[in-house]
Amino acid sequence: MKVRLTRNLFFILGLDIIIVGLAFYFGHLIRFDFNIPSWALDNFLSLVVYCTLIKIICFFIFDLYRGMWRYTGLNDLMNVGKASIVSSVCVILFVLYTTGFHGVPRSVFIIDWCLTLILVIGLRVAARIYFEQVGLNRNLTSLTTAIFSVFRKKKKPGTLILIIGAGNCGEKLIREIYNNMSVKYNVCGFLDDDPKKIGRKIHGIPVLGEISLLDQLIDSTGAKEVIMAIPSAPPQRMREIVNACKKIGIRHKTVPNMGELINGKVTVNSIRNVEYRDLLRRKPVILDKEKIGGYLGNKTVLVTGGGGSIGQGLCRQICRYSPQKLVIVEIAESPLYEIDLQLKKEFKTVEIVPVLADIRDKEELCKIFKNSQPEIIFHAAAYKHVPMLEAHPWKAIDNNIMGTKNIVEVTDEFNCEKFVFVSTDKAVNPTNIMGTSKRIA
């Protein structure tokens, strides 16, 4: 158990020593009806140092000095409870061993335990209140002011919003909103179809009614935006809510689902606009990571068009499976430079080799393959914007068809293990030059 020695630690430790000592003193004071006899006072003075030392040691053992008070939660309070019980038991055993309870009333220890628990928890809760209120109001200068501000309605500058969904996701969302000052929202209420939740409150914010009352509640609350915190809702229900928001004409966003959070694509506070995937709600594809790791692990992988939107995402996914080397071929300098910097920062164990080259130049491709000796090829380089290629059809033929032909022939010439043609969008039953060029490729 390692604890960093900082100024804050000594400050907290000093406060706890004072609290523990006062709890033991007030235990005697209450026991003797605020008139401690001289013999009891002598016993108190002889024991207070040892009792305080025992309790502080127990507090260290239960990690009370490793947490951050501004984030005090239920787990921290549970640790305080455990530490208080164990330390009181240790104090009782110490007193029993040293004095046999001679001249020491047993009820003092019960009162002392109660006061220790209340004061230690109270101090940590007061600290969290202070930091939360400072976050909401930069003008607060003292702990007392912060505590009194709790009794006033908590307001935060920002867009007035309604949250649809008074479940676990909604609860986490409102905590994030009020703890993160960069999120400029002020919540005026929840909407939920569960009749048991209507009329109740979550962190002081009321559940105003059912989702069907959205238009009425927007008028009565003055909300300017709606956030959907129902990641488990079926697609039909999501479409109904989105259509209701569009009909009213109010901005609407959603909270990422758990799959996005686990994959590390977004954080809890990354509220975003509703997308087609939210309305489809297809079951996620479960990847066989072990099989993919064996396919890409310790291999030299080459990606063409690595600076494009598809290519960049592909490069990140490939790097997660620890290839020995990733060669990125890209004709555009700026996107290549950006993805090179990002990957080298994020995946330090993978050798990233950026190559500024054109797939239409077969001789240049041969030199790249000779130098890097790639084993796996992902071909994502292509022109893809339909209107632009309708205006320049020969460019689609030159790049999408002839460029693909070059990369296939060079791959075959150097006997690479696998070739994956990634960019095949609009190739099925094509109705434009872009799709036709992909179909031919």
Side-chain angles (χ1 to χ4, degrees):
M1 182 181 62
K2 189 176 180 180
V3 178
R4 291 182 60 193
L5 298 178
T6 63
R7 185 174 63 181
N8 286 343
L9 173 63
F10 288 113
F11 176 71
I12 294 165
L13 190 60
L15 287 177
D16 278 349
I17 290 171
I18 293 170
I19 284 174
V20 168
L22 286 175
F24 196 51
Y25 174 72
F26 279 106
H28 283 78
L29 206 60
I30 294 170
R31 165 62 181 80
F32 292 105
D33 297 326
F34 296 90
N35 186 18
I36 305 175
S38 58
W39 58 269
L41 187 60
D42 291 339
N43 286 333
F44 162 75
L45 294 173
S46 63
L47 292 172
V48 66
V49 174
Y50 299 105
C51 293
T52 301
L53 183 62
I54 290 170
K55 288 189 177 184
I56 295 299
I57 290 172
C58 288
F59 288 179
F60 267 105
I61 293 171
F62 282 89
D63 285 342
L64 264 60
Y65 299 111
R66 297 180 71 183
M68 297 176 69
W69 283 21
R70 70 178 63 202
Y71 304 121
T72 296
L74 187 60
N75 186 61
D76 298 296
L77 301 185
M78 291 291 290
N79 283 341
V80 172
K82 293 174 188 176
S84 298
I85 293 171
V86 172
S87 63
S88 293
V89 170
C90 291
V91 167
I92 290 170
L93 292 175
F94 173 77
V95 174
L96 178 64
Y97 177 76
T98 55
T99 67
F101 283 119
H102 179 70
V104 181
R106 293 166 178 78
S107 57
V108 166
F109 300 101
I110 298 174
I111 300 169
D112 169 61
W113 172 73
C114 292
L115 292 174
T116 299
L117 186 64
I118 292 168
L119 292 174
V120 173
I121 287 178
L123 180 63
R124 281 150 177 78
V125 171
R128 173 165 176 171
I129 290 171
Y130 170 74
F131 284 114
E132 283 189 355
Q133 293 301 317
V134 165
L136 293 174
N137 185 352
R138 299 295 181 184
N139 296 323
L140 294 177
T141 56
S142 68
L143 180 60
T144 306
T145 310
I147 292 172
F148 277 114
S149 69
V150 172
F151 296 99
R152 298 193 296 270
K153 188 175 180 180
K154 186 187 287 186
K155 286 188 177 181
K156 177 183 176 180
T159 305
L160 201 62
I161 65 167
L162 285 170
I163 296 177
I164 295 179
N168 290 332
C169 186
E171 185 272 336
K172 289 182 175 65
L173 176 59
I174 196 167
R175 274 201 294 174
E176 180 68 26
I177 287 171
Y178 281 106
N179 290 335
N180 190 341
M181 290 308 297
S182 65
V183 180
K184 303 298 183 182
Y185 288 125
N186 188 23
V187 183
C188 58
F190 287 92
L191 281 76
D192 200 285
D193 287 333
D194 187 349
K196 296 178 182 177
K197 295 178 181 177
I198 295 172
R200 307 186 75 175
K201 290 186 176 184
I202 299 176
H203 299 304
I205 305 299
V207 181
L208 300 173
E210 296 182 356
I211 301 172
S212 59
L213 302 175
L214 179 61
D215 54 345
Q216 300 175 28
L217 291 170
I218 286 173
D219 290 337
S220 62
T221 60
K224 303 299 181 184
E225 195 168 306
V226 169
I227 296 179
M228 288 171 271
I230 43 174
S232 60
Q236 180 61 34
R237 187 58 177 148
M238 283 291 291
R239 285 194 287 270
E240 289 173 0
I241 297 170
V242 169
N243 289 334
C245 291
K246 287 180 178 179
K247 185 177 179 181
I248 298 166
I250 190 167
R251 294 196 305 269
H252 51 283
K253 295 182 179 179
T254 188
V255 175
N257 60 45
M258 290 308 294
E260 291 179 276
L261 299 177
I262 292 168
N263 289 332
K265 294 180 183 177
V266 289
T267 57
V268 177
N269 59 334
S270 294
I271 299 165
R272 56 167 171 75
N273 293 325
V274 178
E275 298 173 356
Y276 288 114
R277 54 183 162 159
D278 300 307
L279 305 180
L280 294 173
R281 288 283 164 88
R282 291 172 178 165
K283 291 183 179 180
V285 176
I286 301 174
L287 299 176
D288 187 342
K289 293 185 178 180
E290 188 174 337
K291 193 172 181 180
I292 297 172
Y295 170 44
L296 296 174
N298 297 317
K299 297 288 181 70
T300 298
V301 182
L302 183 144
V303 177
T304 67
S309 56
I310 295 173
Q312 287 193 12
L314 185 61
C315 288
R316 289 192 182 89
Q317 292 294 331
I318 290 170
C319 286
R320 289 196 174 98
Y321 295 100
S322 303
Q324 182 180 355
K325 183 192 294 185
L326 176 62
V327 182
I328 307 171
V329 178
E330 173 60 52
I331 191 173
E333 180 199 16
S334 295
L336 179 63
Y337 179 71
E338 289 172 6
I339 189 64
D340 178 43
L341 287 180
Q342 291 171 16
L343 293 179
K344 284 179 178 176
K345 183 178 179 181
E346 191 173 350
F347 303 99
K348 297 185 179 180
T349 59
V350 179
E351 182 184 352
I352 309 296
V353 181
V355 179
L356 193 63
D358 188 344
I359 60 169
R360 293 172 293 186
D361 188 337
K362 189 174 179 180
E363 289 185 11
E364 190 173 21
L365 285 176
C366 289
K367 291 179 183 177
I368 294 168
F369 273 64
K370 185 177 180 180
N371 292 332
S372 60
Q373 295 294 317
E375 298 160 275
I376 312 292
I377 313 299
F378 286 89
H379 176 45
Y383 288 148
K384 62 181 181 179
H385 295 289
V386 174
M388 190 64 67
L389 294 181
E390 288 294 305
H392 304 85
W394 290 109
K395 293 295 181 181
I397 295 170
D398 192 23
N399 191 75
N400 293 1
I401 298 174
M402 302 309 297
T404 299
K405 182 175 180 290
N406 287 340
I407 194 75
V408 169
E409 288 176 350
V410 175
T411 298
D412 187 50
E413 182 180 337
F414 282 84
N415 296 317
C416 299
E417 290 180 15
K418 293 185 184 295
F419 177 92
V420 182
F421 187 26
V422 177
S423 189
T424 58
D425 50 311
K426 297 180 177 64
V428 179
N429 298 325
T431 58
N432 51 61
I433 187 64
M434 196 277 279
T436 302
S437 68
K438 295 293 185 70
R439 180 78 174 186
I440 294 170

